[in-house]
Amino acid sequence: MVSAAMATPAAGASVQVRAVSHAFGDAARRLPVLDDVSFDVAAGETVALLGPSGCGKSTLLRLVAGLDAPGAGRIGVDHVRVAGPDPSRLLMFQDPLLLPWRTVEANVAYGLQARGIRDGLERVGRALRLVGLGDFAGAYPHELSGGMAQRASFARALVNHPRVLLLDEPFGKLDSLTRMTMQEELLALARRHAFTTVLVTHDVEEALLLATRVLVFSPRPARIIRDIDNGLPFPRLRDDPAFIARRREILIALGHGEEFAR
Amino acid sequence: MSDAPRRAFAAGVAAWAAAAAVTGLLADHGRVPAGRPLVELAAAVAVLCGLAALAGRFAWFAPVAHQGRRVAALGVAVAAWEIVTAKTGWLPLPFFPSPQAVLDVYRVDSARLAQSVFSSLLILVPGFALGAVTGFLAGLAMGWSPEARYWGHPVIRLLGPLPSIAWLPVALFVFPTIASASIFLIALATAFPVAVLTASGVTLVDSRLYDVGRTLGASNGFLIRTIVIPATLPHLFVGLFMGLGASFIVLIVAEMLGAKAGLGWYLQWAQGWAAYANLYAALAVMSVLFSGLTMALFAARRRALRWNRETVQW
Ligand SMILES: Nc1ncnc2c1ncn2[C@@H]1O[C@H](COP(=O)(O)OP(=O)(O)OP(=O)(O)O)[C@@H](O)[C@H]1O
Ligand SMILES: [Mg+2]
């Protein structure tokens, strides 16, 4: 099922973020959001971004997607400067943002249709089954629950075989069991097809389960305060002592000292 | 069905039978119409009410079951109207013809009425369609392109509030025929509200949907086709309703003022001959025609906006 949904292997691309700063507003009311952020993501790597709410994680993903240009610094993919959005670099938004006038199936097919890929229906069906929405192909978005809409949005991204997948809290609205299933699917896809993933999440465990590296950001304006290499072997177990130690390290970095970090 | 609708239809039988009896059995006070169509019609409605009272138990009848009280009340109204006009002369002729006389118009003058409906539609339909298309395109352009908005805005601001019928004298010498002038005026009356609402609809589109489209590889043309236009449809329909209402006014006034055919002309003609029964008959045709067109537009809207949870059911 997993391999079928990504029939064409999409070789991952590397991502370079160099001295990126970004601010909103004008000179009078400047809101600095990103402060000199630099990191590299190797091809095929999965990097998780963790940080307090409102620190600038979604903003950073928009910059990498090419939807906005950084105020300062530069962003590259395979060492080519990002100049605009491109379906090889797919952003899955924090909100599902499905098109209300399209059925679930037509929403998932949107990217293929936009690029004139005709024989996509098969792929769309597989992506829908992958996220457990095979029976809802003909439903309109207003007939979906929040979690179902988020899974549809996930399928809409996956079906395009991106080289870099930018995920903004992709599983935040799912119940914990469905979330686990989706995490396993993502892990399997990413490992099989070696696409690069940048994953924004609030969930420290999710970061440790999925990522090869975890970047921890400060409150706004976001700076990288920790860059943790997460070389835990698969399968990763939540009760593994190494896992627990790393979880505590990250929680402390996020400012949740002794209360929850134990 | 519960007993209430059945009782309503039983009352309908009584009301319409009374209307038939009043019309057919009492002597007329003044001029007597040539035929007696109301007697036949009222009797037929009474029979239908009786059938409805019996059919009440079937599921297929449920959608119209609630109409019973209206049908019954209408029977009472028709009977009363017949009494105060033809039977007693309390309301003076020729201004207040009896329902029997109005109904008789459909027997004697149906050809001319049908011809009038046809020529009205021949102006209304192309005018409305032309206005809807140009208004929609203009609205899209103004919503999407700042340059189009810059030039379109003052035009809409200054000319939009002018009732389009005010252009009639101009249209009459610019256009070769009164029909083409009327088509133009109807198009104008439709295009303005459609353009304004479409343009504001475009500016109301959630801009994050464009981001979604662009990351998925959509070109500008594709964004317009798949996001701008569908997102704007609910607003377009509001504009179309406003335009349709304005079109009816323009149609009738233009036909009254200059035309030799159409429902507006028919009203004028009937008044000229003091044929008030014809006038009421034409008004009834207009009301059925215009509400039919409005309902057709509602049906189109319901179809086009199936996806919209907020689509109001009419
Ligand atoms: N388009 C915008 N215009 C102005 N300010 C913005 C805009 N987008 C984001 N911001 C501000 O930038 C800051 C960072 O926003 P961002 O959405 O990147 O946070 P985040 O880290 O993704 O937060 P969360 O975890 O809650 O999603 C916030 O203070 C927000 O108010
Ligand atoms: Mg965010």
Side-chain angles (χ1 to χ4, degrees):
Chain A
M1 180 158 113
V2 166
S3 63
M6 303 288 290
T8 316
S14 63
V15 177
Q16 297 77 41
V17 176
R18 294 288 152 71
V20 166
S21 295
H22 197 72
F24 289 108
D26 48 27
R29 290 170 58 105
R30 234 176 79 91
L31 185 75
V33 173
L34 297 174
D35 179 18
D36 193 22
V37 174
S38 295
F39 63 94
D40 276 34
V41 186
E45 201 182 6
T46 297
V47 170
L49 311 184
L50 277 172
S53 179
C55 75
K57 305 180 295 294
S58 296
T59 306
L60 181 57
L61 282 199
R62 284 181 64 89
L63 300 182
V64 177
L67 287 170
D68 301 315
R74 50 182 296 165
I75 291 175
V77 167
D78 274 352
H79 300 279
V80 176
R81 189 180 200 126
V82 168
D86 188 286
S88 70
R89 245 180 298 118
L90 256 187
L91 171 56
M92 177 189 164
F93 292 79
Q94 193 165 355
D95 297 322
L97 295 178
L98 300 174
L99 303 180
W101 42 86
R102 287 187 162 230
T103 60
V104 169
E105 184 176 43
N107 263 289
V108 174
Y110 189 91
L112 301 177
Q113 215 185 326
R115 288 182 291 146
I117 297 173
R118 298 241 171 273
D119 54 346
L121 260 189
E122 181 80 353
R123 250 155 91 177
V124 169
R126 279 195 297 257
L128 279 175
R129 277 184 306 248
L130 179 81
V131 299
L133 287 178
D135 293 338
F136 285 85
Y140 282 98
H142 74 79
E143 298 166 304
L144 303 184
S145 71
M148 287 160 80
Q150 201 166 36
R151 282 182 280 146
S153 167
F154 188 44
R156 177 172 65 181
L158 285 183
V159 80
N160 294 288
H161 300 165
R163 303 182 66 206
V164 179
L165 191 53
L166 308 166
L167 301 172
D168 199 346
E169 298 184 33
F171 310 132
K173 292 190 176 110
L174 305 185
D175 64 273
S176 53
L177 291 179
T178 314
R179 178 181 312 160
M180 259 183 237
T181 314
M182 290 296 112
Q183 288 167 345
E184 281 156 16
E185 299 288 8
L186 174 62
L187 202 57
L189 287 173
R191 288 209 290 161
R192 197 170 309 238
H193 301 298
F195 56 78
T196 308
T197 310
V198 181
L199 169 76
V200 168
T201 176
H202 275 148
D203 180 346
V204 178
E205 289 198 351
E206 178 168 275
L208 287 174
L209 284 173
L210 298 178
T212 43
R213 242 168 85 214
V214 180
L215 303 181
V216 182
F217 286 87
S218 70
R220 187 182 59 78
R223 275 173 300 101
I224 296 179
I225 52 176
R226 288 301 270 280
D227 183 341
I228 297 161
D229 189 16
N230 184 29
L232 293 175
F234 290 97
R236 292 175 177 167
L237 302 172
R238 285 161 220 260
D239 50 7
D240 172 0
F243 189 97
I244 294 172
R246 213 150 275 170
R247 182 165 155 268
R248 172 186 301 176
E249 180 185 354
I250 292 173
L251 284 171
I252 289 172
L254 284 167
H256 295 285
E258 301 310 312
E259 291 298 320
F260 297 110
R262 249 181 275 278
Chain B
M1 146 164 107
S2 71
D3 262 3
R6 204 175 288 172
R7 271 202 303 276
F9 278 109
V13 174
W16 284 96
V22 163
T23 314
L25 302 178
L26 297 183
D28 274 9
H29 179 263
R31 203 174 64 204
V32 184
R36 316 182 65 188
L38 182 59
V39 181
E40 291 146 27
L41 181 78
V45 175
V47 170
L48 285 177
C49 281
L51 290 177
L54 296 177
R57 67 183 89 258
F58 300 112
W60 53 262
F61 190 70
V64 287
H66 68 285
Q67 301 286 4
R69 290 187 297 150
R70 290 173 176 157
V71 174
L74 190 63
V76 173
V78 166
W81 178 12
E82 182 71 24
I83 289 172
V84 299
T85 53
K87 303 305 172 190
T88 60
W90 289 342
L91 292 178
L93 285 173
F95 307 107
F96 298 101
S98 69
Q100 172 116 292
V102 172
L103 215 51
D104 203 39
V105 170
Y106 296 125
R107 205 174 50 80
V108 289
D109 209 21
S110 58
R112 198 185 337 228
L113 268 172
Q115 177 59 43
S116 300
V117 168
F118 184 67
S119 18
S120 284
L121 284 177
L122 229 46
I123 289 174
L124 184 66
V125 172
F128 182 71
L130 187 67
V133 171
T134 42
F136 186 55
L137 293 179
L140 280 183
M142 283 175 55
W144 184 257
S145 137
E147 188 70 10
R149 188 155 50 242
Y150 177 83
W151 294 110
H153 200 78
V155 177
I156 298 265
R157 268 283 170 80
L158 289 173
L159 301 187
L162 266 186
S164 94
I165 194 70
W167 294 99
L168 183 65
V170 181
L172 282 180
F173 70 74
V174 171
F175 287 88
T177 62
I178 172 88
S180 52
S182 308
I183 288 176
F184 168 76
L185 293 180
I186 288 174
L188 201 63
T190 306
F192 271 106
V194 168
V196 170
L197 277 144
T198 304
S200 81
V202 175
T203 56
L204 289 177
V205 177
D206 183 348
S207 68
R208 297 175 307 166
L209 294 182
Y210 298 141
D211 291 339
V212 170
R214 290 197 296 141
T215 54
L216 289 168
S219 62
N220 270 347
F222 196 75
L223 286 182
I224 290 177
R225 265 193 298 128
T226 58
I227 295 181
V228 179
I229 291 181
T232 311
L233 279 188
H235 304 269
L236 167 69
F237 274 101
V238 177
L240 287 178
F241 280 111
M242 295 171 63
L244 192 61
S247 297
F248 295 155
I249 298 175
V250 174
L251 174 75
I252 297 308
V253 175
E255 283 177 344
M256 279 179 153
L257 291 184
K260 295 277 172 291
L263 285 167
W265 164 83
Y266 190 98
L267 294 181
Q268 196 75 343
W269 169 86
Q271 196 212 6
W273 289 97
Y276 286 92
N278 295 59
L279 195 136
Y280 292 118
L283 283 175
V285 168
M286 266 163 62
S287 121
V288 169
L289 178 68
F290 291 171
S291 79
L293 291 172
T294 309
M295 270 153 59
L297 189 56
F298 270 119
R301 173 177 179 271
R302 198 161 47 234
R303 254 191 87 76
L305 303 185
R306 257 185 328 234
W307 51 269
N308 193 345
R309 192 192 357 211
E310 279 95 50
T311 299
V312 186
Q313 302 287 319
W314 292 78

